[in-house]
Amino acid sequence: VIPSLIAEPGERGCRAAVVITAGFDAKLSGAMLATGRPHLMRIVGLNCLGFLSPTSGINASFAHRTPAKGRLAFLTQSGAIAT
């Protein structure tokens, strides 16, 4: 299902996607990336918290709150640490 969900917005000009789901094997992950490649889509995820940018007002994650704006950046692979 995920590769087709990547294809549809890609065909409409979407350039990025956040995939929060888990349980992907290498074949399914490769299919998802291959589907986004012709549209030059950037894909964040597989089994991730998502993406937050308080300065831009973006909360594309499953975090229940958006952090306050500030001058500190924090980058982590761990959703548990980020929340």
Side-chain angles (χ1 to χ4, degrees):
V1 172
I2 299 296
S4 65
L5 292 175
I6 295 293
E8 185 177 338
E11 291 166 0
R12 294 179 182 198
C14 179
R15 299 290 302 271
V18 177
V19 182
I20 297 175
T21 192
F24 274 51
D25 60 14
K27 182 178 178 182
L28 186 53
S29 178
M32 178 190 68
L33 294 173
T35 302
R37 194 169 290 118
H39 308 292
L40 302 176
M41 288 185 77
R42 300 291 185 234
I43 300 175
V44 173
L46 293 188
N47 195 21
C48 72
L49 172 71
F51 174 79
L52 294 115
S53 176
T55 303
S56 303
I58 297 171
N59 183 349
S61 75
F62 65 80
H64 70 287
R65 299 172 76 188
T66 301
K69 294 179 184 179
R71 295 179 18 199
L72 178 69
F74 181 66
L75 180 65
T76 179
Q77 182 183 358
S78 170
I81 300 268
T83 56

